Amino acid sequence: MTDFKKDVIMTGIPRGGTTLSAALLDSLKNAVCLSEPRWQSKWFKNIKDVNRVTECVMNDYKNIRRRIIENKPIMDTRNEDGTPLTNYYSKRRYGRRVSVRKHGAFTFEIENENFLLGMKHNEHYTGILPQLLETDVFSIIAIVRHPVPTILSWKSLNLYISNGRMPYAEPFWKELREITCSSDKSLLTFVKIYDLFCQRYLSFSNEIHLLKYEDIIKNPQVFEELTGLTYKNKVELSNRNQSKNYNFALADDIKNLITIHAPNALKLYQMDEESIS
């Protein structure tokens, strides 16, 4: 294994490809990546001290690592057969996309006790990213995706972010709270949220691994290169930026707002059609 740390924080812009990225990390030999541990959400909801929450996350890695070594079941969100999910929402019901995930207890096979352990949360971990970096015990991966399909995905689902809120990050991220707690829920609010995530990742770009969803689709071997591990099976991916579930009638408005109000997003993405595909 490279100097990549064996405890990995997987985070990124919501609906930006973190579920897929967590699945790829989980698909490496001698690696496990949990998807949005629900018990951690309780900490982010109930504990208001950012250092205490950060400490809870640190201790949780030690606890989960021990339980996996002892072959004890871990609650996680996966497919029925235990394979990792690559997309939480792929079925439609009453005109809305619905979850296909299963939450249950799973055990994990590892090759040795020095296995890679990842956990994925989007707003949670990004909200306390400065404090996570200060611990110096994690390798941190942040995933971004082109703003047009990302924001269209937010609008296509019934999630907190679909209503312009991020309750698990707001208590610890003042700038986010100022945007999401505003009465303005126009398309501009979503653009501002997207840009703030980009700003946070770019400000720590020398300390984290900042990856684009589109680049991962083209080269999923990036996780092999980062970790020094190889995939258990061959990985083939498809780009979902042109999903039929998105309302592309909003695309031009999003691009115009990004061009005017999102300088950090423009450091990562152009607004032409080629950059979206």
Side-chain angles (χ1 to χ4, degrees):
M1 198 167 178
T2 66
D3 58 358
F4 195 81
K5 295 182 176 69
K6 64 180 181 180
D7 288 340
V8 182
I9 293 287
M10 176 68 73
T11 192
I13 291 178
R15 302 300 299 158
T18 53
T19 301
L20 173 62
S21 298
L24 290 173
L25 207 64
D26 189 85
S27 299
L28 296 168
K29 295 179 180 178
N30 207 32
V32 175
C33 188
L34 304 183
S35 185
E36 301 184 357
R38 295 187 180 184
W39 60 89
Q40 290 188 3
S41 292
K42 295 179 181 179
W43 303 337
F44 282 82
K45 182 177 181 180
N46 298 321
I47 301 174
K48 302 307 179 185
D49 181 87
V50 66
N51 294 317
R52 174 77 189 286
V53 171
T54 304
E55 183 180 4
C56 287
V57 173
M58 286 179 59
N59 290 335
D60 202 35
Y61 271 77
K62 297 175 183 177
N63 178 53
I64 295 300
R65 180 173 291 279
R66 174 183 55 79
R67 289 182 61 85
I68 290 174
I69 291 172
E70 295 173 354
N71 201 35
K72 293 181 177 179
I74 309 293
M75 297 300 294
D76 195 26
T77 304
R78 294 183 167 254
N79 293 309
E80 294 278 353
D81 62 0
T83 56
L85 289 168
T86 58
N87 185 10
Y88 278 175
Y89 300 89
S90 60
K91 292 184 178 180
R92 294 190 69 85
R93 184 181 298 156
Y94 306 119
R96 303 286 291 187
R97 283 188 292 161
V98 297
S99 175
V100 296
R101 50 188 159 172
K102 168 184 170 57
H103 190 70
F106 298 90
T107 56
F108 302 96
E109 293 184 5
I110 54 172
E111 294 182 356
N112 55 61
E113 295 185 0
N114 196 39
F115 68 98
L116 182 151
L117 175 59
M119 298 193 205
K120 172 244 175 176
H121 267 302
N122 293 333
E123 62 173 285
H124 302 56
Y125 293 158
T126 299
I128 63 168
L129 184 58
Q131 290 74 26
L132 289 171
L133 284 166
E134 286 178 3
T135 68
D136 198 32
V137 300
F138 300 109
S139 285
I140 298 179
I141 301 173
I143 311 297
V144 295
R145 182 187 182 194
H146 195 285
V148 171
T150 301
I151 294 174
L152 290 179
S153 181
W154 293 352
K155 300 291 285 184
S156 73
L157 296 165
N158 185 23
L159 302 171
Y160 286 120
I161 184 56
S162 307
N163 297 313
R165 295 302 303 269
M166 291 192 172
Y168 298 106
E170 289 167 0
F172 313 107
W173 194 356
K174 178 177 178 290
E175 294 82 1
L176 178 68
R177 189 166 62 247
E178 290 174 349
I179 297 171
T180 57
C181 293
S182 167
S183 59
D184 179 14
K185 298 302 176 185
S186 66
L187 201 56
L188 178 58
T189 294
F190 297 98
V191 167
K192 289 180 178 179
I193 293 171
Y194 181 95
D195 194 60
L196 188 64
F197 271 73
C198 292
Q199 181 186 55
R200 172 147 287 193
Y201 300 142
L202 287 169
S203 67
F204 295 111
S205 60
N206 292 330
E207 301 171 72
I208 66 175
H209 302 277
L210 180 58
L211 305 178
K212 291 183 178 180
Y213 165 79
E214 296 80 9
D215 292 340
I216 294 169
I217 295 295
K218 294 176 183 177
N219 178 34
Q221 285 70 36
V222 64
F223 291 107
E224 293 183 319
E225 296 163 4
L226 276 178
T227 64
L229 302 174
T230 57
Y231 287 119
K232 301 166 190 172
N233 301 297
K234 184 178 179 181
V235 175
E236 295 183 358
L237 306 177
S238 60
N239 194 329
R240 294 172 176 151
N241 275 356
Q242 297 294 331
S243 173
K244 63 182 180 181
N245 297 305
Y246 300 161
N247 178 12
F248 279 96
L250 297 174
D252 286 342
D253 289 339
I254 294 172
K255 286 188 284 187
N256 290 335
L257 289 169
I258 289 286
T259 301
I260 299 171
H261 299 283
N264 299 287
L266 293 174
K267 293 177 183 178
L268 294 168
Y269 288 102
Q270 298 176 345
M271 291 301 109
D272 55 44
E273 291 300 326
E274 183 177 346
S275 68
I276 301 175
S277 61

